[in-house]
Amino acid sequence: MNTESLNRFLYGSKLRAYALMRHTAYTLTGAALGLLIYAHGVEQDPMMLNKLYKAIDAILSIFVLIYLLRIVYAFERAKFLRRTWFEGILMGIIFLNEFSTYVLGFPLIYNLFESIGIPLSVEVYRIVVSLYMLVLLVIELLETKVHLKALQVKPAITFIVSFISLIAIGTGLFMLPKMTNAPDGMRFIDALFMATSASCITGLVVVDPGTYFTLSGQVLLLLLVQLGGLGVMTFATFFASLMRQGIGIKQHVALHEIMESESLFSTKGLLPKLILLTLSIEAVGASIIFFSWGPEVRFESVAGKIYFSVFHSVSGFCNAGFSLFPEGLYTAPVRFSYVLHLIIAALVILGGIGFPTMLDVFSPTAMRRRLGAPWRNWRLLSRVTIYTSAGLLAAGTLIFFLLEYYNSLSSLGFAEALVSAFFQSATTRSAGYSTVDVSSLSVSTLLVFLVLMFIGASPGSMGGGIKTTTFTIILLSVAATIRGRENVEIGNRSIPHSLSYKAFSVFTFAVVINVVFVILLSVTDAQFQIVHLVFEQVSAFATVGLSTGITAGLSDMGKLIIVISMYVGRVGTLTLALALSTRASTAAYKYPAAHLAVG
């Protein structure tokens, strides 16, 4: 039977076959994830675990069968294989492993990675395959017109619900028995705190992740960090790319402001670029970190060394600040690993300048375009974020060096103190890593840190704060007002007054939120000094993660306030920007001008 005859034979049953495959895949993906959660979070009996893993393998085998059926029912099979090449490779790996394990009695993946000291390969492999299938099904679900009509929601609601869902799932999983080493499991408020801190890539902790969490708990923490780090950008691009029908001007304006795109459709292929760029930077960072661990830092195996490298690379680039060492990077084995500090600082800086800037500066397309036309400059957004970030980085390094040279840096040489000052300046604005004892810093240094944390990273980045562009526009607006100029100018461009109003609105929103929350903390946790409470609150709102050491000692109500602060800091300013981007009602009239004394 030739191809054309086969297509004619299958044509009548194609729709029914696809519907059956889709519903089967939905059911099996849910079952696989449920079994994985039960196996890694609850079940302790080895025999029962073995049965669970066999059930998961059986489900993965059915996924291979479904993929083969999709090939058969794809009338343009060569085109289908090219389009699903990654999925095809994944299904091929599954087939080889299942065949070698259950037919030949030789577990291919397990033996391959066990030989190089990575014994957890099978569990990681099952989780990766199940999550990948879940992503594929979600994409297919959202591309269905029936579901598109149900997802016509405001972008602000999309962001809010996305992060709430991520936090809720993380909280529930953290409370499972096998996620922690605590005999009684994790309390709800602590699980909520850690899930929020990870999802909002803050880095504040009420437990030591390296000792309190089991490997499963640590992997969950890292997964929340990765999803939370990509959250704002990928959620916006993901929904805008898939919701091609029924999409409104609000989504268009939101993406235009975040990515400086010419149109909504120019963001269609952006999600794969963002994910590829993120994973590439994290992979390169993990590789360099792997070879930068000093001899004094000891690991149980090569797998442990790889795991620590990946964990700190992802946490660094996502500006999360989580570490598996008891006192973070201030822990004795890594406190003086200055090469490691510079690598993590570089990852933090890259994660903090924003995806729009990275794509404009580092993408192959942009670099080829500038090579062909060397006179072309970076986009205005890129210039503002890079120059402002560089200025804040230099100022922070110099001020910290001068203020702490005879205090926390007194035991270090000049070059070591300079590296430490540079590292703190880089991480204070978003990442939360520290190579000094924050509780020993002078009050003047803490006040400088407050300013840097409040400003934060750049738009469309992994970091928080009011953002470098907001800070720049406010400074330029103030300067223009003092000089008596009507227009705010930057880079031979005029800044619209509406943009200045938005910048001041975001600034005011952030100030009010922090003042209110500090007052609440002063009531619930009056045992701590007010400067420490202010520092904790601003660190949470700006999703930085630095602390003077009071986080674990906060009352349950204080922890809840910090949870709300982390969440509002992660999505609040963006939601406010989206609200300000909606088209205001217009009226063909203007009230008479009024004069009020100011200042």
Side-chain angles (χ1 to χ4, degrees), residues 28-43 49 51-57 59-60 63 121-134 173 176 178-179 216 223:
L28 292 180
T29 299
L33 290 174
L35 292 174
L36 281 168
I37 292 172
Y38 186 76
H40 291 279
V42 179
E43 186 57 54
L49 283 173
K51 293 179 180 178
L52 289 173
Y53 291 144
K54 286 183 178 180
I56 295 170
D57 285 342
I59 292 175
L60 297 184
F63 284 149
S121 57
V122 177
E123 286 78 3
V124 174
Y125 147 81
R126 291 187 180 109
I127 292 173
V128 168
V129 171
S130 299
L131 290 177
Y132 181 77
M133 293 305 300
L134 178 65
L173 292 177
L176 295 177
K178 289 178 66 176
M179 290 294 174
S216 298
L223 186 60

Side-chain angles (χ1 to χ4, degrees), residues 110-125:
Y110 180 84
N111 287 333
L112 178 63
F113 285 90
E114 180 76 17
S115 63
I116 57 175
I118 308 179
L120 296 171
S121 57
V122 177
E123 286 78 3
V124 174
Y125 147 81

Side-chain angles (χ1 to χ4, degrees), residues 27 81 88 161 213 258 273 282 338 389 396 418 424 455 522 573:
T27 304
L81 289 172
V161 173
F213 289 121
I258 294 172
K273 292 180 182 177
E282 290 172 350
Y338 296 106
S389 298
L418 193 62
Q424 286 308 137
I455 296 171
S522 67
T573 51

Side-chain angles (χ1 to χ4, degrees), residues 320-323 325 327-332 334-336 341 344 348 400 408 420 423-428 431-441 449 535 544-548:
F322 288 105
S323 177
F325 296 103
E327 298 178 84
L329 297 184
Y330 184 66
T331 305
V334 293
R335 186 185 306 174
F336 307 111
H341 298 172
I344 292 180
V348 169
F400 183 83
S408 61
S420 296
F423 182 85
Q424 286 308 137
S425 180
T427 61
T428 297
Y433 278 122
S434 178
T435 56
V436 297
D437 182 6
V438 178
S439 62
S440 68
L441 299 179
F449 274 16
F535 192 89
V544 176
L546 284 176
S547 175
T548 55

Side-chain angles (χ1 to χ4, degrees), residues 276-286 313 317 347 350 358:
L276 181 62
L277 181 63
T278 298
L279 296 180
S280 299
I281 293 175
E282 290 172 350
V284 172
S313 177
F317 181 69
L347 289 169
L350 284 175
M358 280 194 287

Side-chain angles (χ1 to χ4, degrees), residues 130-170:
S130 299
L131 290 177
Y132 181 77
M133 293 305 300
L134 178 65
V135 170
L136 289 180
L137 290 173
V138 169
I139 292 174
E140 186 177 358
L141 183 69
L142 292 176
E143 285 181 332
T144 305
K145 294 182 180 179
V146 175
H147 298 283
L148 278 175
K149 294 179 180 178
L151 288 172
Q152 293 177 12
V153 292
K154 296 179 180 180
I157 300 299
T158 300
F159 297 132
I160 290 171
V161 173
S162 298
F163 276 101
I164 288 177
S165 300
L166 190 62
I167 292 169
I169 293 171

Side-chain angles (χ1 to χ4, degrees), residues 515-579:
V515 169
V516 171
F517 281 22
V518 166
I519 293 174
L520 293 175
L521 284 173
S522 67
V523 174
T524 61
D525 293 88
Q527 70 272 23
F528 297 114
Q529 297 180 25
I530 189 65
V531 66
H532 291 171
L533 292 177
V534 173
F535 192 89
E536 192 82 8
Q537 163 56 32
V538 174
S539 178
F541 175 82
T543 67
V544 176
L546 284 176
S547 175
T548 55
I550 69 171
T551 310
L554 291 172
S555 64
D556 287 351
M557 189 57 66
K559 291 176 182 176
L560 184 59
I561 293 171
I562 294 297
V563 164
I564 298 172
S565 180
M566 289 188 288
Y567 176 75
V568 171
R570 183 61 173 147
V571 303
T573 51
L574 177 62
T575 303
L576 178 64
L578 291 173

